[in-house]
Amino acid sequence: MAGIVALVTGLAAPAHASASPLLPVTAVDAPTVYGRAAYLLDASSGEVLFEDNSAERMPIASLTKTMTAYVVLKTAKPTDVVEIAPADVTYAEDGGGTTADLRAGDRLTVDELLYGLMLPSGADAAHALARTYGPGVGGFVAKMNATARGLGMTDTRYVNADGLPMPGGDGYSTARDQALLAAKALELPLIKETAGTRYHSLDANGEHRSYSWRNTNRLLRTAPDAIGLKTGFTRAAGFCLAFASEQDGRRLVGVLLGESDSSRRFATAEELLTWGASRQSA
């Protein structure tokens, strides 16, 4: 992480919709970013390509679920079976979060639940996984924060496994910390596979009913090299996106936080990825 941070000082400042006129001329070709923060990293080399307000702490909404998936896979086997409890369903419904429409009593494997977590951004799936592998949600959140510290995410605090607002205050992170997590998470093949899947369905069997989940990440439909990663939204966080692409063995990872327009975050991410790829190959 220290090497990555050191590289930032040698880069041109990024363009921003409200940027100062004192920006270096070398930044004029960078895409305009309208959100509160942005970060683009070449995860293959560790070079920071673009950063804007990347160290400001702010809510990150459902980008939280990337850490949930990461911690689960550091603890559980993909074939482990989790039984959905009534509390998992009511938690998502009462909190007003997006759900995977899980049914209490259904038994799903961890790898199946990861699709429910990452594609429709199921708060019910997050609660079920956290409850099971904490043990207890509180224990799981402690693991999330310990993992963040271990990864060098010094400006991150999780308060739950899903990113929903909490009465005692939201968690927070930064664009830089979330890009660091995204790069690490995508090193796990199951997270990369899950996050890069546009649609996933499960047939009904003796363990669970049928399910079908569509990925909320529109970048997967518009950017041919996109491989993920996670969308997010709350009123406090705005529209957020952790995104990544892979081309010729080179992986770019980026984060946008605090965007006011849902569609624009995807367009901006695609522009950043295209710009970053051309910058590297120049």
Side-chain angles (χ1 to χ4, degrees), residues 43-193:
S44 303
S45 68
E47 181 184 3
V48 178
L49 302 173
F50 186 107
E51 69 90 24
D52 183 17
N53 204 27
S54 63
E56 181 179 345
R57 295 177 175 182
M58 60 187 75
I60 59 168
S62 286
L63 299 198
T64 298
K65 296 184 178 86
T66 300
M67 179 61 87
T68 300
Y70 186 77
V71 172
V72 165
L73 289 180
K74 291 295 185 179
T75 305
K77 296 178 181 178
T79 54
D80 286 350
V81 175
V82 175
E83 182 169 340
I84 307 305
D88 304 325
V89 177
T90 57
Y91 170 82
E93 292 175 347
D94 293 347
T98 51
T99 78
D101 292 323
L102 300 178
R103 177 181 294 174
D106 277 4
R107 290 166 52 84
L108 295 96
T109 59
V110 166
D111 59 347
E112 290 169 340
L113 271 178
L114 286 180
Y115 284 101
L117 176 76
M118 299 296 283
L119 273 63
S121 199
D124 45 2
H127 193 273
L129 290 165
R131 175 182 54 77
T132 303
Y133 292 104
V137 174
F140 190 84
V141 172
K143 288 181 179 179
M144 294 170 72
N145 285 312
T147 301
R149 290 192 296 272
L151 292 176
M153 299 167 63
T154 56
D155 291 298
T156 296
R157 176 176 175 265
Y158 294 104
V159 297
N160 55 31
D162 48 73
L164 287 172
M166 295 284 284
D170 294 350
Y172 58 79
S173 188
T174 66
R176 180 173 57 198
D177 277 8
Q178 286 303 299
L180 176 60
L181 170 62
K184 294 297 293 184
L186 286 168
E187 291 177 2
L188 301 183
L190 188 52
I191 289 182
K192 180 185 175 186
E193 176 186 341

Side-chain angles (χ1 to χ4, degrees), residues 214-246:
R214 189 176 301 278
N215 203 319
T216 57
N217 184 3
R218 278 191 271 162
L219 196 64
L220 296 173
R221 301 195 292 273
T222 61
D225 300 315
I227 58 173
L229 176 65
K230 190 69 191 74
T231 61
F233 171 77
T234 63
R235 289 184 180 179
F239 295 100
C240 305
L241 182 66
F243 55 95
S245 68
E246 199 165 56

